[in-house]
Amino acid sequence: MPKYQIPDVSFVKKLTSNEWASKVIPISNTKQQHPKNIKQLPPHEQKDSLCTPSDCFENVESSSDVMNINNNKNNNKKYFKVLLISVGVLLILGVLASVVMGIYALVYINKTTVASTTVTTSTTSTTTTFLPPQCYSYTIINDTTRLITAGSGYASDYGLFSTGTLVRFFGAGGTQIATFPPGGYHCTATYTGWYAGALPSFSNTVTGIMCYTPGSSSCTLYNTISVTNCGTFYVYNLIDPPNYSYIRYCTV
């Protein structure tokens, strides 16, 4: 295989790989050229058009280098697109966040305005009801013989309440006068007394009819009494019943 010799020159024109191959001269067929035979370019053109042989070979790009450059360009384009998309998404999120914050601020301002302009006044009124004097001063009667469950007898209330007496029935002997006819021969008497009027409301006093019966008749005899509602009990202003033997106020 013949040997090739690269001309010994200081500067040559930039050539491609194919041009370099065509310029190679076999040693056996050519004579070494003197540097003076090589055309010299003006100094202002040598910078761009001349290079040393080693530099010129280094500037020849291989196909793999070209592919790498193209790949780098494509990657740069992809990165740039991703960057643009990211920036766009961030801008959209920023706009949405601004809208949400604006709506929240408007709602908060409206609530604050309503709260500051609306004043609710709560007034608690306390009503004190005073009980009448008879609820504090009375005579207590606790007598089990007055119960409607007690049998007949010979007791009588005539003359017992001649001046009018405030009475509260209390304890095992009953807490109030019966409000229905118990029939004759109860309460240790013959004529049984029961209250036929309406009972009063709290702290009020009413006047009603007392009836007395010796048998099936519900109101053979009667008189008038007053009743006061003291909350948890009643106070009766009792007077003497009609002048009959064995007549009483009966309790339950």
Side-chain angles (χ1 to χ4, degrees):
M1 182 176 183
K3 296 182 180 180
Y4 298 92
Q5 181 178 1
I6 298 173
D8 186 11
V9 293
S10 297
F11 296 96
V12 295
K13 184 179 181 180
K14 289 184 179 180
L15 301 176
T16 64
S17 58
N18 292 330
E19 290 175 340
W20 272 105
S22 63
K23 295 296 183 178
V24 175
I25 302 172
I27 297 175
S28 59
N29 296 329
T30 60
K31 295 181 179 180
Q32 185 175 1
Q33 295 183 0
H34 195 273
K36 68 179 181 178
N37 294 328
I38 298 175
K39 183 179 179 180
Q40 299 292 326
L41 295 175
H44 66 277
E45 296 181 1
Q46 292 180 4
K47 182 177 180 180
D48 296 330
S49 60
L50 298 179
C51 64
T52 61
S54 60
D55 291 338
C56 291
F57 277 113
E58 289 178 356
N59 291 333
V60 177
E61 296 178 348
S62 64
S63 60
S64 62
D65 293 335
V66 174
M67 292 179 64
N68 290 333
I69 292 172
N70 292 333
N71 289 334
N72 290 334
K73 290 181 179 179
N74 292 332
N75 290 334
N76 291 335
K77 290 181 180 179
K78 291 180 180 179
Y79 294 150
F80 184 70
K81 289 181 180 179
V82 171
L83 179 61
L84 288 179
I85 293 173
S86 301
V87 172
V89 171
L90 290 176
L91 289 175
I92 293 173
L93 291 177
V95 172
L96 292 177
S98 300
V99 172
V100 171
M101 291 300 293
I103 295 173
Y104 176 79
L106 290 176
V107 173
Y108 179 78
I109 291 172
N110 290 334
K111 286 184 177 180
T112 304
T113 303
V114 172
S116 61
T117 56
T118 302
V119 178
T120 303
T121 303
S122 178
T123 303
T124 302
S125 59
T126 302
T127 303
T128 302
T129 303
F130 296 96
L131 295 174
Q134 55 266 40
C135 292
Y136 302 100
S137 179
Y138 46 77
T139 299
I140 293 177
I141 295 179
N142 183 6
D143 184 359
T144 57
T145 65
R146 290 183 177 276
L147 292 171
I148 61 173
T149 56
S152 63
Y154 304 102
S156 178
D157 285 339
Y158 182 77
L160 186 61
F161 307 108
S162 58
T163 58
T165 304
L166 295 174
V167 175
R168 174 187 176 185
F169 294 99
F170 178 81
T175 57
Q176 69 181 79
I177 294 176
T179 55
F180 56 90
Y185 301 97
H186 293 285
C187 315
T188 320
T190 301
Y191 289 88
T192 57
W194 60 281
Y195 181 69
L199 292 172
S201 59
F202 176 72
S203 77
N204 290 324
T205 301
V206 297
T207 299
I209 300 296
M210 277 294 303
C211 290
Y212 305 89
T213 178
S216 60
S217 176
S218 60
C219 199
T220 303
L221 303 172
Y222 65 90
N223 67 313
T224 302
I225 65 170
S226 64
V227 185
T228 301
N229 186 335
C230 295
T232 58
F233 59 92
Y234 293 101
V235 171
Y236 300 89
N237 189 3
L238 302 181
I239 61 173
D240 280 344
N243 187 10
Y244 276 77
S245 300
Y246 319 125
I247 187 170
R248 299 188 85 185
Y249 293 102
C250 297
T251 60
V252 291

